[in-house]
Amino acid sequence: MSAGRGQETVRIVVDGRELEVAAGVTLAAALLDAGVQMFRRSVRGDPRAPLCGMGICQECRMTIDQVAHRRACLVTVASGMTVSTQGAVSS
Ligand code: FES
């Protein structure tokens, strides 16, 4: 799904960069739709991204609104939300 014509959107900030994403979906879905492919890095530095999409694998953990280790697949995206990949996107 892409935030196309007529699709309601919200603005969020990912690693300091403003993104307009689809509203009414999980943060994980919104980020994937916006082209974000890495959500965090493992302790060894490997890129990680959502796997299960239902709260089990924890591969989508991110810092959301300054709360660490939240699962992006369980959080509905909201206007003004701030997200940190802890360098996964920008590196
Ligand atoms: S994608 Fe598996 S817990 Fe979020």
Side-chain angles (χ1 to χ4, degrees):
M1 175 183 69
S2 179
R5 191 180 328 172
Q7 169 76 47
E8 187 175 338
T9 61
V10 293
R11 289 186 179 273
I12 64 173
V13 177
V14 180
D15 292 340
R17 182 173 61 125
E18 191 170 289
L19 289 179
E20 186 170 348
V21 298
V25 299
T26 66
L27 175 59
L31 291 176
L32 289 169
D33 186 52
V36 175
Q37 297 181 339
M38 289 193 295
F39 281 43
R40 66 181 183 91
R41 289 194 180 275
S42 71
V43 292
R44 294 187 319 194
D46 300 324
R48 312 308 293 178
L51 181 63
C52 72
M54 58 183 190
I56 304 299
C57 73
Q58 304 202 24
E59 295 291 2
C60 65
R61 284 180 292 143
M62 310 182 87
T63 298
I64 303 170
D65 291 336
Q66 300 182 350
V67 179
H69 306 297
R70 293 182 70 191
R71 289 169 287 179
C73 71
L74 299 181
V75 176
T76 301
V77 71
S79 180
M81 182 175 272
T82 60
V83 180
S84 172
T85 67
Q86 298 168 326
V89 169
S90 57
S91 58

